Amino acid sequence: MLSADAAVSVLDVDKSFGSVQVLDDVDLDIRKGEFFSLLGPSGCGKTTLLRILAGFEQPDAGQIIIGGRDMTGVPPHLRPVNTVFQSYALFPHLNVYDNVAFGLRMKRVPAAQQRERVGRALETVRIGDLARRRPDQLSGGQRQRVALARAIVGEPQVLLLDEPLSALDLKLRKELQVELSNLQETLGITFVFVTHDQEEALVMSDRIAVMNRGRVEQLGKAEDLYERPRTAFVANFLGSSNLIEGTVKAVTPEGATVQTVHGPLMTHQGAHLKIGQSVTLSIRPEKLRMERDDETEGNEVRARVDDIVYTGAENQYLLKANGERLIVFQLNADLGADEDFDYEEDVALYLPPGNLMVLEEG
């Protein structure tokens, strides 16, 4: 639902490049002061949408409202937004201080205000002691902080971030995810963040729009999207998921029973279904419980361990069950614990009815 006081409203936006439609009737609302992520695979339209918000591209149809004003057709330098690019785009011949001050000088901000605002921006991103260094004397994480300082020094209403962490190593990227999230809370600026990294979006975002083929597949809080995906695309793109096809066998006020290749499975999500309807069930790998003996509670599936992937924090078990592949994640709580399973071992899987989600498409 669109609200009149939104920081950004995208209204029925279409965009094509030649015969290829990149955005198809995109309609979403970004609230003031929230960390909002556009998440999706390459080619889904997320970067094009960000460029339209920035003014670098114009939509073929629809409107862009920022701060209550129609910005459709307004050039980038007249919009109340700043952009942090994936490449950082720092001036190599200028030191850190001058890179950050550049935009203020172009706007002819008085020198005293420049010094105060640049100093505050550098301290906010914790690089005040690097003011006289050039970009080639900085690490990747430090250059990223310079780009952030340059973007926030102009005090924009909305900060647009185009995969700014993708060039960093894994450990530094995880550290800066937390720092960037904390920075957004401190500044109170609306952040619109583009990423293809699911974990990054989950860690940092207040809300996420999952995009697919130019459309918003699902929009909501990170927890809602992960725990209650509406489509197979969202279930598989935002983490991993086991998808099970079936036909509705019975419906009660508490849920439904779905006949599958694994036998009848009960779900608490299907009170709206109809008997005979084809459905897809989804369950996250960490929600399944793997045992050596049947517990006779219903919703059990016999399976055999086909492969084991050790990731450090957990074991990922790839299973064969009734001709289908299932995956189970199990936390490595104790070294060499009895709960570890072996290759080719027969196991019983319990699928909790409360964690079996009914997807919208069959």
Side-chain angles (χ1 to χ4, degrees):
M1 295 179 63
L2 300 177
S3 64
D5 62 346
V8 178
S9 292
V10 179
L11 306 176
D12 306 319
V13 165
D14 292 337
K15 180 66 178 179
S16 296
F17 294 109
S19 61
V20 179
Q21 186 161 20
V22 180
L23 296 175
D24 182 10
D25 196 28
V26 175
D27 209 33
L28 58 85
D29 185 46
I30 301 172
R31 299 166 183 157
K32 291 179 180 178
E34 78 171 335
F35 199 120
F36 188 93
S37 289
L38 298 170
L39 173 68
S42 298
C44 72
K46 59 186 186 297
T47 297
T48 299
L49 179 55
L50 193 83
R51 290 178 60 81
I52 287 175
L53 294 178
F56 301 130
E57 301 283 353
Q58 294 299 322
D60 298 332
Q63 288 181 293
I64 300 296
I65 310 296
I66 301 176
R69 296 172 53 206
D70 188 352
M71 291 290 162
T72 312
V74 176
H77 67 282
L78 296 179
R79 299 190 180 203
V81 305
N82 270 342
T83 306
V84 178
F85 299 98
Q86 184 175 345
S87 62
Y88 309 143
L90 302 179
F91 297 113
H93 63 289
L94 298 181
N95 63 25
V96 168
Y97 183 96
D98 291 334
N99 262 283
V100 176
F102 183 83
L104 300 181
R105 290 171 181 165
M106 293 298 99
K107 294 179 180 179
R108 301 187 185 280
V109 174
Q113 287 189 33
Q114 286 185 36
R115 288 192 295 271
E116 191 273 330
R117 288 169 64 174
V118 171
R120 186 171 64 239
L122 293 177
E123 290 303 322
T124 298
V125 298
R126 301 192 300 167
I127 53 170
D129 58 335
L130 304 178
R132 298 306 168 189
R133 293 191 188 181
R134 294 191 311 274
D136 62 358
Q137 297 172 315
L138 303 175
S139 67
Q142 290 168 341
R143 288 195 294 270
Q144 195 259 5
R145 287 186 173 92
V146 177
L148 281 171
R150 186 178 60 184
I152 65 176
V153 75
E155 300 175 353
Q157 293 181 27
V158 180
L159 187 61
L160 309 175
L161 302 106
D162 185 11
E163 303 196 55
L165 308 181
S166 61
L168 305 177
D169 63 77
L170 179 61
K171 184 177 180 180
L172 180 59
R173 190 162 70 241
K174 288 181 177 293
E175 291 175 358
L176 289 180
Q177 286 171 8
V178 177
E179 286 192 21
L180 195 57
S181 181
N182 291 337
L183 177 64
Q184 188 272 333
E185 291 182 7
T186 300
L187 297 173
I189 298 173
T190 302
F191 277 27
V192 182
F193 187 88
V194 163
T195 182
H196 63 271
D197 188 309
Q198 304 93 325
E199 181 180 336
E200 199 166 78
L202 289 171
V203 168
M204 302 170 68
S205 310
D206 295 316
R207 289 191 304 152
I208 302 170
V210 182
M211 297 190 65
N212 181 30
R213 298 181 180 180
R215 298 183 67 89
V216 176
E217 190 97 353
Q218 189 173 346
L219 189 156
K221 295 180 180 179
E223 181 181 350
D224 292 337
L225 267 62
Y226 186 82
E227 299 292 349
R228 290 174 287 280
R230 289 208 302 258
T231 69
F233 177 82
V234 174
N236 267 328
F237 190 79
L238 201 65
S240 300
S241 190
N242 295 292
L243 303 182
I244 302 171
E245 306 288 339
T247 304
V248 178
K249 182 178 178 181
V251 179
T252 69
E254 290 74 34
T257 300
V258 178
Q259 187 63 43
T260 73
V261 68
H262 307 296
L265 297 176
M266 294 177 290
T267 171
H268 293 164
Q269 307 297 316
H272 62 287
L273 299 175
K274 297 179 180 178
I275 294 176
Q277 181 179 345
S278 295
V279 296
T280 301
L281 301 175
S282 169
I283 187 167
R284 297 290 186 185
E286 70 274 13
K287 307 292 187 184
L288 283 82
R289 194 165 75 232
M290 193 160 60
E291 306 286 352
R292 287 190 166 86
D293 301 313
D294 293 340
E295 298 185 2
T296 64
E297 339 179 25
N299 272 34
E300 289 179 352
V301 175
R302 295 299 305 178
R304 174 167 291 184
V305 178
D306 188 48
D307 202 359
I308 304 171
V309 179
Y310 174 77
T311 65
E314 64 186 11
N315 279 335
Q316 299 181 2
Y317 293 95
L318 307 178
L319 310 174
K320 285 184 178 179
N322 301 303
E324 294 193 348
R325 299 270 294 196
L326 298 174
I327 183 170
V328 178
F329 295 167
Q330 184 168 282
L331 189 66
N332 285 329
D334 297 303
L335 186 64
D338 293 338
E339 289 78 10
D340 291 344
F341 296 87
D342 295 323
Y343 290 94
E344 301 300 321
E345 184 173 355
D346 290 325
V347 297
L349 292 178
Y350 174 59
L351 289 65
N355 292 323
L356 270 172
M357 300 293 111
V358 179
L359 304 181
E360 288 186 353
E361 71 247 51

